[in-house]
Amino acid sequence: MSGGGEEVSNKQIVFRDYVTGFPKEADMVHTTGTIRLKVEEGSKAMVVKNLYLSCDPYMRNRMAKPDGPSYVDSFTPGSPINGFGVAKVLDSGHPDFKEGDLVWGGTGWEEYSLISAPETVFKIAHTDMPLSYYTGLLGMPGLTAYAGFYEVCSPKKGEYVFISAASGAVGQLVGQFAKLMGCYVVGSAGSKQKIDLLKNKFGFDEAFNYKEEQDLNAALKRYFPEGIDIYFENVGGSMLDAVLLNMRLHGRIAVCGMISQYNLDKPEGIYNLFCLVTKRIRMEGFLVFDYYHMYPKFQQWVLPYIKEWKIVYIEDKIEGLANAPSALIRLFTGKNIGKQVVVVALE
């Protein structure tokens, strides 16, 4: 299919229209367009073949109708969905990329994509790692866990760390980073299988199924009788409220996401915010984009741990672009076990 600049068919997942409430597979349409596999003369763009696509919770926010300024644009109805992925360069007008290079970064939910701003993607140097890891452990979620834990939480050895949505793409890494530092680590998740993974695969000290707890405040007191130093926040709502009551003096809360709120028309209120004052808690939201400059440092730090099996990573792979909509919905029903990845093509 390479060769000249001929037009080829291009299977795509197109965003139907803005979503309110819970997203459905029908909000995304599997269709076929066309694309030229050569860039225009003089252009600095590149054409890539997509290999893996990343399903991430923040994508739900992009399905909503724009309502004021946001850190990320909403999807455009009638256009292909886009997100993070791993791809192979087929043609490039950019001096930093050449045919055959492997990259990770923003791309389309389609077989082939034209990337008009290649400076927003990273070249993959360590191809001895599983390429799908660049949608997770070695990509955006990995950097999110690293920056959120080390930069925002300022952890110290021996501290008490709690992570919600702990078996997800980010949570499973934060827990392992905390254990490497000598912290006591507890995670919450929504199934027995996930709890088993947290304790037996990722090395958490304890884990509990929030769906089986009538009283989250009591559950946290059970696992943290002396309170919580660091809370890595992924869910929001009633869990955040219960955590605030259980934080220790000068505790830190890194707000990475609030997946329990994304599908609600009206977000739940938080009642225990005065704890921020009485316990002198620092609660800080953060975005991974602000830490992109740290990616080389993160990669250099994490690779030896991966090679020594001191950090492990669980992926939930779904085969085929046509199954990408159902893969994304799995994030919001809790069916995914670990990082949700769509396999579009092999190299």
Side-chain angles (χ1 to χ4, degrees), residues 67-98:
D67 181 21
S70 172
Y71 72 95
V72 65
D73 292 337
S74 290
F75 295 133
T76 304
S79 293
I81 283 175
N82 57 74
F84 288 92
V86 174
K88 186 174 187 174
V89 177
L90 298 181
D91 190 36
S92 171
H94 196 284
D96 294 345
F97 300 94
K98 65 182 189 302

Side-chain angles (χ1 to χ4, degrees), residues 103-125:
V103 297
W104 76 266
T107 191
W109 276 32
E110 52 194 354
E111 287 180 289
Y112 306 98
S113 292
L114 175 68
I115 297 177
S116 52
E119 56 274 10
T120 62
V121 303
F122 294 88
K123 190 185 292 189
I124 295 173

Side-chain angles (χ1 to χ4, degrees), residues 37 47 90 119 130 139-140 174 199 219 261 266 298 315 347:
L37 298 184
V47 177
L90 298 181
E119 56 274 10
M140 182 274 287
V174 176
K199 293 200 282 192
Q261 306 299 295
K266 186 180 179 186
F298 159 65
E315 298 175 304
E347 261 196 274

Side-chain angles (χ1 to χ4, degrees), residues 55-345:
C55 296
D56 298 294
Y58 83 94
M59 297 175 80
R60 172 61 187 85
N61 302 328
R62 302 190 66 191
M63 293 178 147
K65 194 169 187 177
D67 181 21
S70 172
Y71 72 95
V72 65
D73 292 337
S74 290
F75 295 133
T76 304
S79 293
I81 283 175
N82 57 74
F84 288 92
V86 174
K88 186 174 187 174
V89 177
L90 298 181
D91 190 36
S92 171
H94 196 284
D96 294 345
F97 300 94
K98 65 182 189 302
E99 182 184 347
D101 282 348
L102 293 160
V103 297
W104 76 266
T107 191
W109 276 32
E110 52 194 354
E111 287 180 289
Y112 306 98
S113 292
L114 175 68
I115 297 177
S116 52
E119 56 274 10
T120 62
V121 303
F122 294 88
K123 190 185 292 189
I124 295 173
H126 299 275
T127 52
D128 53 331
M129 292 284 128
L131 288 180
S132 56
Y133 275 15
Y134 289 90
T135 67
L137 169 52
L138 290 169
M140 182 274 287
L143 185 57
T144 300
Y146 180 79
F149 185 61
Y150 290 106
E151 298 295 310
V152 180
C153 294
S154 308
K156 294 187 277 294
K157 184 178 179 180
E159 288 194 310
Y160 302 119
V161 177
F162 176 53
I163 302 151
S164 54
S167 68
V170 174
Q172 59 174 291
L173 292 175
V174 176
Q176 292 180 80
F177 295 170
K179 287 306 299 176
L180 286 171
M181 270 210 81
C183 296
Y184 169 77
V185 181
V186 178
S188 65
S191 74
K192 182 183 183 304
Q193 185 181 3
K194 292 177 181 180
I195 299 309
D196 289 345
L197 270 179
L198 291 175
K199 293 200 282 192
N200 302 321
K201 183 84 174 176
F202 301 132
F204 283 53
D205 294 288
E206 289 290 347
F208 65 90
N209 184 344
Y210 69 89
K211 293 176 182 174
E212 294 178 353
E213 300 293 342
Q214 300 298 313
D215 183 341
L216 291 173
N217 180 24
L220 291 170
K221 280 186 168 46
R222 195 163 74 239
Y223 291 104
F224 293 99
E226 296 179 50
I228 300 166
D229 291 299
I230 289 171
Y231 173 43
F232 200 95
E233 164 69 303
N234 288 311
V235 301
S238 56
M239 184 66 85
L240 173 59
D241 238 357
V243 166
L244 286 165
L245 295 174
N246 287 278
M247 291 297 289
R248 302 179 81 185
L249 290 184
H250 303 291
R252 285 86 72 208
I253 300 175
V255 186
C256 178
M258 294 192 172
I259 196 169
S260 73
Q261 306 299 295
Y262 295 164
N263 298 312
L264 303 180
D265 291 334
K266 186 180 179 186
E268 295 171 307
I270 302 295
Y271 297 93
N272 298 321
L273 285 173
F274 194 61
C275 292
L276 296 176
V277 178
T278 58
K279 301 180 181 192
R280 284 81 95 196
I281 298 164
R282 179 165 61 81
M283 182 171 171
E284 182 180 343
F286 73 100
L287 292 174
V288 68
F289 312 121
D290 296 334
Y291 296 92
Y292 267 13
H293 65 280
M294 294 185 68
Y295 182 70
K297 180 184 173 186
F298 159 65
Q299 196 177 42
Q300 188 179 5
W301 175 85
V302 80
L303 280 168
Y305 285 122
I306 300 170
K307 287 171 180 170
E308 293 163 20
W309 294 97
K310 288 181 179 171
I311 290 176
V312 295
Y313 202 59
I314 297 286
E315 298 175 304
D316 191 330
K317 286 181 178 170
I318 298 246
E319 302 270 343
L321 181 65
N323 294 317
S326 64
L328 182 59
I329 302 300
R330 283 165 64 88
L331 294 179
F332 306 107
T333 56
K335 286 182 180 169
N336 65 300
I337 307 290
K339 168 69 203 173
Q340 188 70 69
V341 184
V342 179
V343 183
V344 181

